[in-house]
């Protein structure tokens, strides 16, 4: 039985697309939280409904609730809500008149005027979200925890009619899957280039725009870890630099260490952003001072000769490969549990970096095909940490030896000698 709530009048626009009639309205978070349910009613099977509910009770709803509480520049795109039962009524305006003497509104078409009006909900309708269920879950969580918003924020909602017949259920389910299948998350490249809340993205842009480290052709404008084979001037890609800073800010032990979602969703103060930027610069300063190949790279105006020396079909150095730079970032982050960032980088510099040298050969570099391999990250990291006495407890020497032999394909191989 649907709980009766009070009647509400919503400002609305009426539109038609295909064979759907829809209404674009404004609704505040309190009303949305109390009136709108999840989309379990479009499934006859209770197991499917329960699956939807489980998915909505995960971390995502908590992250959205925190976003609503802490981000002054918060904004949502429209939620799509199906209505069933009750008597939602559309009231179009009979005329529209401007309050100024301008004549822009003097000759509006009747069809335009008929699209503007109000939608009344009696309170006994069943409303459930077809698109925006995680946002709805976050809204419900934030409101239930006492969202400090007076008045509540208003969000845009799109109402469509649902009929609880066999064909109506099929029609609504199709709309549900169409909306969710065609939705695409913001790309990593767009985040790096445009996001003004994501700490890693902001620091990547600052490193590129305000330092000599990664200016001009010193970094490849690629949002992934795939370095173009024709590139002969860049140390790494923009996407890889973002990943390295993510490791530094989330895994390295420091006063700035934080969870990745917290670093992505709520912009810190300018002072704290400056601290993160300084920390990123500090990492690359230490890398430059302790790895001769990086000192060679950063000291040159024309980097092409250095890059060709350390990256190519001949192999070269691990730090000139995005996966190699990520590997060393993870090792350094692990070492900061026991020492300063500077000491961690200095210790990491004791490890082998030549791709044709164990343990990098076969775990990162295929010498037969002269290509990077990407399936042995954990084993390689733990073997490297073993070489400096810092491997994880669950990766004992015997476990590592077994994995090392299996993943290199060398049945008689021994673990590389310790460097400490």
């Amino acid at each position: 039985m649907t709980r009766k709530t009070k009647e509400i009048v919503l400002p609305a626009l009426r539109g038609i697309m295909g064979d759907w009639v829809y209404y674009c309205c404004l609704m505040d978070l309190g009303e949305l939280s109390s009136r709108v349910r999840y989309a379990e009613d479009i499934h006859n099977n209770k197991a499917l409904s329960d699956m939807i509910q489980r998915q909505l009770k995960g971390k995502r709803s908590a992250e959205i609730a925190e976003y609503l509480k802490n981000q002054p520049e918060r904004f949502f795109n429209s939620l799509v809500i199906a209505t069933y039962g009750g008597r939602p009524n559309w009231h179009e305006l009979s005329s529209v008149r401007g309050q100024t003497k301008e004549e822009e509104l003097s000759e509006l078409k009747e069809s335009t005027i008929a699209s503007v009006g109000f939608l009344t909900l009696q309170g006994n309708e069943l409303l459930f979200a077809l698109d925006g269920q995680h946002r709805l879950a976050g809204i419900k969580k934030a409101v239930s925890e006492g969202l400090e918003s007076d008045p509540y924020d208003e969000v845009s909602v799109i109402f469509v009619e649902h009929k609880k017949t066999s064909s109506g259920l099929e029609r609504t389910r199709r709309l549900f899957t169409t909306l969710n299948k065609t939705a695409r998350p913001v790309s990593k490249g767009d985040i790096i280039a445009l996001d003004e809340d994501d700490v890693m993205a902001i620091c990547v842009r600052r490193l590129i725009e305000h330092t000599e480290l990664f200016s001009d052709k010193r970094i490849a404008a690629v949002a992934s870890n795939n370095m173009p084979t024709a590139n002969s001037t860049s140390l790494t890609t923009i996407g890889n630099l973002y990943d390295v800073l993510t490791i530094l800010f989330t895994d390295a032990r420091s006063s700035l260490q934080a969870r990745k979602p917290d670093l992505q969703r709520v912009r810190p103060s300018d002072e704290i952003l400056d601290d993160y930027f300084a920390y990123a610069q500090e990492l690359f300063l230490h890398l430059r001072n302790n790895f001769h190949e990086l000192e060679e790279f950063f000291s040159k105006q024309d980097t092409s000769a250095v890059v060709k020396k350390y990256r190519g079909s001949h192999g070269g150095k691990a730090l000139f490969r995005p996966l190699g730079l990520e590997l060393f970032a993870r090792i350094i982050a692990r070492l900061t549990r026991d020492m300063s960032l500077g000491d961690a980088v200095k210790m990491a510099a004791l490890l082998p970096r030549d791709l044709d040298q164990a343990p990098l050969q076969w775990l990162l570099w295929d010498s037969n095909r002269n290509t990077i391999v990407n399936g042995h990250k954990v084993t390689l990291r733990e073997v490297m940490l073993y070489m400096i006495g810092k491997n994880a407890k669950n990766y004992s020497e015997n476990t590592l030896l077994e994995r090392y032999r299996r993943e290199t394909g060398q049945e008689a191989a021994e673990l590389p000698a310790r460097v400490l």
Side-chain angles (χ1 to χ4, degrees), residues 364-381:
L364 184 64
W365 177 251
D366 185 332
S367 295
N368 291 332
R369 299 181 179 180
N370 294 334
T371 58
I372 290 290
V373 291
N374 187 23
H376 313 293
K377 289 182 179 181
V378 174
T379 297
L380 177 56
R381 183 190 71 229

Side-chain angles (χ1 to χ4, degrees), residues 23 97 131 223 283 290 327 359 392:
Y23 303 88
R97 289 194 300 270
D131 185 45
L283 171 65
N290 287 278
L327 166 69

Side-chain angles (χ1 to χ4, degrees), residues 103-117:
E103 296 185 357
E104 290 112 328
L105 302 180
S106 62
E107 297 182 0
L108 289 177
K109 296 179 181 178
E110 288 187 15
S111 59
T112 301
I113 296 174
S115 296
V116 181

Side-chain angles (χ1 to χ4, degrees), residues 267-285:
R267 181 187 178 103
S269 68
D270 289 345
E271 291 78 10
I272 294 177
L273 271 176
D274 289 342
D275 290 340
Y276 277 110
F277 179 51
Y279 194 39
Q281 287 183 290
E282 182 185 353
L283 171 65
F284 285 100
L285 178 62

Side-chain angles (χ1 to χ4, degrees), residues 152-222:
Y152 279 122
D153 292 342
E154 288 183 315
V155 295
S156 169
V157 297
I158 299 174
F159 288 103
V160 296
E161 184 183 15
H162 166 69
K163 295 182 178 179
K164 210 166 186 177
T165 61
S166 177
S167 60
L169 282 168
E170 180 181 334
R171 173 178 165 83
T172 303
R173 280 196 297 267
R174 182 178 294 112
L175 179 60
F176 176 85
T177 53
T178 296
L179 290 169
N180 287 278
K181 278 194 303 186
T182 56
R184 291 290 182 271
V186 179
S187 72
K188 185 177 179 181
D190 287 342
I191 289 172
I192 295 171
L194 300 170
D195 200 302
E196 289 294 345
D197 299 318
D198 189 303
V199 173
M200 287 74 69
I202 294 169
C203 288
V204 166
R205 293 199 297 271
R206 286 189 181 183
L207 285 171
I208 294 170
E209 295 169 355
H210 302 302
T211 76
E212 293 296 319
L213 290 167
F214 296 105
S215 59
D216 299 325
K217 296 180 180 180
R218 292 175 175 272
I219 190 161
V222 176

Side-chain angles (χ1 to χ4, degrees), residues 13-24 81 83 90 158-162 171 175:
L13 297 174
R14 180 179 183 272
I16 299 173
M17 187 169 184
D19 57 2
W20 286 100
V21 177
Y22 62 92
Y23 303 88
C24 300
I81 297 172
T83 70
W90 164 249
I158 299 174
F159 288 103
V160 296
E161 184 183 15
H162 166 69
R171 173 178 165 83
L175 179 60

